[in-house]
Amino acid sequence: MATPLLYFSYGMTRAGSTLGFELVRTALEYCGYSQPLLTSSALVAGRRINMAQHISPEQAEELLEEVRNIGHPVVIKTHTRPDDPAVVGLMQRGQAIAHAVYRDPRDMALSMVNAGERARAAGVPGFAEIHTLDDAFDNIRHQTNSLTAWLRLPGVLPLYYDDLAFDTEATARRILHQLGLQADAAFIARHVLTNRFTQKYKGQRQRFTDEMDPGLAKLIAQEFTPLFLDFIIHRADLPDDGSITLPAPRHLRTTAQN
């Protein structure tokens, strides 16, 4: 397999996607692979991280060319489904790998309602349209299509919110294994949780058991079973996609040659 140069960090909203992205970015940086801001037009303007939405074939080639010049993989965050043939092609040709972050829809909905309250209080647009659990569940129904689209592609590592938030070291170890890197998973997890912005607020496991009407929780569980709750969450221990060997960071290669 050709060494993947792009890593897509896909996540459902309010599901630990920022934490997943930061674990990959920190793992790469820890191993000597710097993560500079890319200049491609595929990226969302004004962000402090590499984040993309829909990517055209021309933008896919532009991204590949830029990371080829960097000489090692770069992680790009996204919340959109891989409905662009260009992204699917990158994954199928082994030029990109990814992970897909997901969460129990009941906990996700509660977090989205809280985020909507904070957004309206601050006068910012993100999540401001989410007023009720019904609003959140309507949004989640669309997002499950994006999640399953990513999981159908080769080279995608599924990451469950509870593992990210409450067993971060083990999750960092899975990410390192996917990247084919050997590093201190405990240090990476600790550094991300302590020093990186992860958008982790309550960080409570199974919030719905305390904060959601039991009847509604049961109805939602029935709606998302078996596709979501049974097939995806209860299979969070899916095996890693495989080990991938990365090139030496460019500055190390240069030093060795000198």
Side-chain angles (χ1 to χ4, degrees):
M1 181 187 295
T3 300
L5 291 173
L6 293 170
Y7 191 114
F8 290 109
S9 174
Y10 165 77
M12 303 180 83
T13 56
R14 306 308 309 160
S17 59
T18 302
L19 178 53
F21 168 82
E22 289 295 349
L23 282 173
V24 176
R25 181 166 73 152
T26 301
L28 288 167
E29 289 177 339
Y30 180 89
C31 294
Y33 304 102
S34 63
Q35 298 294 293
L37 278 177
L38 303 178
T39 62
S40 169
S41 61
L43 301 182
V44 179
R47 295 280 184 150
R48 295 182 179 180
I49 63 171
N50 290 312
M51 184 169 183
Q53 295 182 353
H54 298 287
I55 299 173
S56 69
E58 294 76 18
Q59 289 172 330
E61 288 302 316
E62 184 182 359
L63 280 172
L64 269 180
E65 182 62 24
E66 186 167 3
V67 295
R68 283 192 186 111
N69 291 332
I70 292 171
H72 59 250
V74 175
V75 58
I76 298 173
K77 185 179 180 183
T78 185
H79 286 301
T80 56
R81 73 183 64 186
D83 51 5
D84 302 294
V87 173
V88 174
L90 290 171
M91 300 292 293
Q92 291 177 336
R93 292 191 299 271
Q95 295 170 313
I97 56 175
H99 66 218
V101 179
Y102 57 93
R103 188 179 188 179
D104 188 305
R106 295 163 294 190
D107 285 348
M108 190 173 159
L110 289 167
S111 184
M112 290 172 72
V113 170
N114 293 155
E117 293 168 351
R118 289 192 296 269
R120 291 188 295 275
V124 296
F127 294 101
E129 75 282 6
I130 306 294
H131 292 263
T132 66
L133 287 174
D134 284 340
D135 295 335
F137 285 125
D138 284 342
N139 183 285
I140 292 169
R141 290 181 184 99
H142 293 291
Q143 292 198 57
T144 56
N145 294 328
S146 299
L147 174 66
T148 53
W150 277 103
L151 291 176
R152 290 190 189 103
L153 295 174
V156 180
L157 177 68
L159 295 178
Y160 179 35
Y161 172 84
D162 283 17
D163 295 328
L164 275 167
F166 308 114
D167 201 357
T168 311
E169 180 182 340
T171 303
R173 193 173 296 112
R174 293 182 68 201
I175 289 171
L176 287 166
H177 179 74
Q178 183 196 23
L179 291 167
L181 296 173
Q182 293 186 352
D184 187 341
F187 174 85
I188 290 169
R190 186 168 59 250
H191 179 77
V192 169
L193 293 173
T194 304
N195 300 306
R196 294 294 174 96
F197 175 64
T198 62
Q199 297 197 53
K200 186 177 178 181
Y201 290 93
K202 281 198 172 184
Q204 180 182 335
R205 196 192 302 262
Q206 293 189 327
R207 287 182 56 186
F208 72 89
T209 58
D210 296 325
E211 301 180 39
M212 187 175 291
D213 175 79
L216 175 59
K218 183 177 180 180
L219 285 174
I220 294 303
Q222 291 172 343
E223 176 183 348
F224 286 93
T225 300
L227 174 64
F228 200 91
L229 290 176
D230 285 350
F231 179 70
I232 298 176
I233 290 180
H234 294 261
R235 293 182 61 194
D237 58 349
L238 286 171
D240 296 323
D241 190 69
S243 181
I244 296 161
T245 302
L246 300 184
R250 172 156 292 179
H251 70 279
L252 294 182
R253 295 202 304 273
T254 302
T255 300
Q257 291 169 356
N258 293 337

